[in-house]
C-alpha cells in the first residue's frame, strides 16, 4: 500500500487503485459496459459497501405548531373522497427529495378529518397504525369493527384489512399515521383495493370487539389460540400505557429494577399471540423520562420516528440540539447519534423498523463512549 492509501484507511476510506489507467482502451471498456447495462463493482464499492451506514435521510424536526394549522387549511380546501382517499400529509425527509418518505422504510403523516366527515374504506398490503396526540370523536372501522380514537391511544390497521374513518362530532380531529410504505414500495409487494364509500359499521362503541376479546392483560381467549402475524388488538388504550409507566417509576422509587435506566420508563406494544412486535415491519414503544433525566447518546442500525406526547425537552441529533414541545416529531435515520434530555416530565411515542432489521440480522446498537 502507498502512504496515500495508508492515510486514507486511517480516515475510514480506501483509495481505489483499480481502473486508474486513463487509456483509450479502458475508456472503451467502460463504454461497452454501459452499452451492455453493466456496472463494475470497483467504481461503486464506496457507495455500496461503506465503512458504516451513510444514510441519505437526514435528522429533522417537524413542529406540531406548524403541522396542525397546515392540516386545518387542507381541511378547508381539500375534500376527502375517492382517488385521494385520505387527507394525510406526509412528513418528507429533506434528504430524500421527491419522495414522501420519512426514512427509506417508514412513512409518517398527519391525517385530518373534519366535522361529520367520512374517509372511505379501502385496504392495502402496507401495515399501518395511528397515534393520537390530542382530540377525540373519530372511530376507525377495521374489518367492520368500530374502534374509538382518543388521546394517547395507539391503534392498528395491519396489512390487507379494510378500514375507514368517520367523525361523529362538530369538531375536526388530527392524528399521526405510520406505515411501511417505503419498504413495501422498494420491495414491490404492494396491493390495494377499494372498499365501501362509507364505513361498514357506523356505531360508536367505547370499546371495539377486538378489545373486548383480547384487551385483558395476561389473559388469552381459548377461542384464539392460533398465533397471528399482527396483533389482534385494535386499540392500545392510554390508561393502560400511562399506568404501566407510572408503576415503573414508582418501583424505581422503591429501589426495584423496573426502568431501562435511571429516570427512564419505557414499554413496548406487543402482539399478545406471540409476545413479539405488533406488526411484522413496525415496532412501537412509549417512553417517559423524569424531569432532568438525560439518556446516553447511541447509534442504531435502522430508523425511527418520535412524537412528543406531553412535556418539554430536547433531542441531540448528530451533535445538534433541538428543543421539543407537545406534538413535535423528529426522525432518527440509521446510525445517526441521538439522545434525549427532559426539562419537565417528558412522554414520547416512538416507532421504528426494528422488526425488519432484527429478522434480517442487520440490527446493531452502539452506545457512544463504549468500545465498538
Amino acid at each position: 500500500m502507498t502512504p496515500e492509501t495508508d492515510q486514507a484507511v486511517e480516515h475510514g476510506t480506501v483509495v481505489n487503485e483499480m481502473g486508474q489507467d486513463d487509456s483509450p482502451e479502458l475508456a472503451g471498456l467502460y463504454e461497452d459496459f454501459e452499452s451492455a447495462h453493466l456496472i463494475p463493482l470497483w467504481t461503486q464499492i464506496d457507495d455500496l459497501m461503506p465503512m458504516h451506514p451513510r444514510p441519505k435521510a437526514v435528522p429533522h424536526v417537524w413542529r406540531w405548531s406548524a403541522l396542525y394549522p397546515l392540516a386545518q387549511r387542507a381541511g378547508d380546501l381539500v375534500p376527502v373522497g375517492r382517488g385521494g382517499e385520505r387527507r394525510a400529509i406526509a412528513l418528507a425527509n429533506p434528504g430524500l427529495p421527491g419522495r414522501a418518505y420519512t426514512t427509506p422504510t417508514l412513512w409518517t403523516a398527519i391525517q385530518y378529518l373534519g366535522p361529520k366527515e367520512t374517509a372511505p374504506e379501502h385496504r392495502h398490503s402496507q401495515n399501518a397504525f395511528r397515534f393520537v396526540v390530542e382530540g377525540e370523536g373519530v372511530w376507525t372501522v377495521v374489518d367492520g369493527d368500530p374502534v374509538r380514537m382518543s388521546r394517547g391511544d395507539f391503534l392498528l390497521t395491519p396489512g390487507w384489512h379494510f378500514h375507514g374513518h368517520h367523525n361523529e362530532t362538530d369538531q375536526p380531529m388530527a392524528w399521526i399515521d405510520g406505515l411501511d410504505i417505503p419498504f413495501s414500495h422498494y420491495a414491490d409487494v404492494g396491493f390495494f383495493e377499494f372498499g365501501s364509500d362509507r364505513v361498514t359499521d357506523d356505531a360508536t362503541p367505547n370499546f371495539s370487539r377486538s378489545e373486548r376479546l383480547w384487551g385483558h392483560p395476561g389473559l388469552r381467549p381459548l377461542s384464539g389460540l392460533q398465533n397471528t402475524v399482527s396483533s389482534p388488538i385494535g386499540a392500545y388504550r392510554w390508561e393502560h400505557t400511562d399506568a404501566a409507566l407510572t408503576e415503573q417509576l414508582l418501583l424505581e422509587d422503591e429501589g426495584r429494577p423496573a426502568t431501562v435506566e435511571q429516570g427512564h420508563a419505557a414499554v413496548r406494544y406487543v402482539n399478545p399471540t406471540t409476545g413479539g412486535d405488533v406488526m411484522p415491519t413496525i415496532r412501537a414503544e412509549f417512553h417517559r423520562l423524569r424531569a432532568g433525566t438525560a439518556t446516553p447518546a447511541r447509534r442504531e442500525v435502522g430508523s425511527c420516528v418520535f412524537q412528543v406526547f406531553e412535556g418539554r425537552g430536547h433531542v441531540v441529533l448528530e451533535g445538534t440540539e433541538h428543543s421539543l414541545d407537545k406534538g413535535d416529531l423528529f426522525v432518527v435515520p440509521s446510525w445517526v447519534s441521538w439522545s434525549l434530555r427532559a426539562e419537565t416530565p417528558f412522554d414520547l411515542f416512538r416507532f421504528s423498523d426494528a422488526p425488519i432489521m432484527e429478522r434480517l440480522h442487520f440490527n446493531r446498537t452502539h452506545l457512544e463512549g463504549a468500545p465498538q
Side-chain angles (χ1 to χ4, degrees):
M1 297 178 72
T2 66
E4 292 81 4
T5 304
D6 290 335
Q7 185 178 19
V9 171
E10 289 177 6
H11 288 82
T13 61
V14 176
V15 172
N16 188 347
E17 296 181 348
M18 296 180 66
Q20 298 302 307
D21 180 8
D22 58 358
S23 66
E25 290 80 9
L26 183 61
L29 176 63
Y30 286 151
E31 289 174 4
D32 290 343
F33 281 163
E34 185 174 357
S35 298
H37 302 287
L38 301 171
I39 299 177
L41 172 63
W42 60 85
T43 66
Q44 305 291 311
I45 195 164
D46 285 346
D47 288 333
L48 296 177
M49 297 180 182
M51 294 293 181
H52 57 76
R54 295 198 305 233
K56 290 183 171 61
V58 298
H60 192 74
V61 177
W62 289 266
R63 304 293 179 187
W64 190 251
S65 59
L67 290 175
Y68 192 81
L70 288 169
Q72 283 183 308
R73 288 169 60 189
D76 294 336
L77 298 171
V78 181
V80 172
R82 284 295 182 219
E85 295 294 297
R86 302 286 186 263
R87 192 184 292 111
I89 306 159
L91 278 57
N93 192 295
L96 304 172
R99 291 289 187 188
Y101 298 165
T102 312
T103 81
T105 53
L106 301 173
W107 192 86
T108 317
I110 178 173
Q111 185 171 165
Y112 185 92
L113 200 63
K116 305 297 185 182
E117 281 190 327
T118 296
E121 292 192 348
H122 62 215
R123 65 178 177 175
H124 39 71
S125 305
Q126 295 84 356
N127 295 287
F129 72 81
R130 307 172 211 297
F131 180 75
V132 185
V133 73
E134 62 185 17
E136 60 182 11
V138 169
W139 273 257
T140 183
V141 182
V142 182
D143 279 346
D145 189 9
V147 187
R148 170 175 54 89
M149 299 177 64
S150 301
R151 172 171 159 77
D153 293 345
F154 171 63
L155 307 106
L156 297 186
T157 309
W160 212 237
H161 288 58
F162 279 111
H163 56 283
H165 320 302
H166 62 107
N167 187 345
E168 293 300 310
T169 73
D170 295 322
Q171 300 296 321
M173 183 174 166
W175 59 88
I176 67 163
D177 291 339
L179 295 93
D180 56 10
I181 288 176
F183 176 76
S184 300
H185 178 76
Y186 289 140
D188 286 325
V189 299
F191 292 87
F192 181 93
E193 184 177 333
F194 292 114
S196 169
D197 287 342
R198 299 292 298 172
V199 289
T200 49
D201 190 335
D202 59 5
T204 57
N206 280 333
F207 297 100
S208 62
R209 293 189 292 274
S210 69
E211 293 170 81
R212 291 166 59 194
L213 183 61
W214 285 96
H216 308 285
L219 301 172
R220 179 170 179 170
L222 289 179
S223 59
L225 290 180
Q226 183 176 356
N227 289 350
T228 57
V229 172
S230 296
S231 172
I233 301 176
Y236 293 73
R237 298 296 176 190
W238 169 242
E239 53 263 34
H240 301 306
T241 307
D242 183 38
L245 295 163
T246 297
E247 292 300 330
Q248 285 189 21
L249 291 175
L250 288 174
L251 285 166
E252 182 182 80
D253 289 339
E254 298 167 13
R256 305 295 181 182
T259 53
V260 292
E261 54 202 11
Q262 190 69 28
H264 179 184
V267 294
R268 181 179 300 171
Y269 301 92
V270 298
N271 177 350
T273 74
T274 64
D277 289 294
V278 289
M279 292 184 288
T281 54
I282 294 175
R283 174 167 296 168
E285 301 170 345
F286 203 100
H287 295 253
R288 173 171 291 172
L289 277 64
R290 296 184 192 269
T293 297
T295 67
R298 71 188 67 216
R299 299 179 186 271
E300 298 164 310
V301 169
S303 53
C304 68
V305 178
F306 284 83
Q307 183 173 35
V308 177
F309 181 68
E310 195 65 78
R312 296 190 312 278
H314 302 263
V315 61
V316 179
L317 296 166
E318 208 62 79
T320 300
E321 183 168 289
H322 306 267
S323 62
L324 298 169
D325 213 330
K326 177 181 174 181
D328 292 347
L329 296 108
F330 64 90
V331 59
V332 184
S334 184
W335 214 242
V336 162
S337 172
W338 67 275
S339 62
L340 297 169
R341 179 169 58 85
E343 283 187 26
T344 69
F346 200 33
D347 283 2
L348 303 100
F349 171 78
R350 180 195 191 197
F351 73 100
S352 73
D353 57 13
I356 301 173
M357 301 302 146
E358 290 178 2
R359 282 185 176 86
L360 298 177
H361 298 281
F362 288 133
N363 56 303
R364 182 184 296 195
T365 298
H366 175 64
L367 292 177
E368 293 195 4
Q372 288 278 14

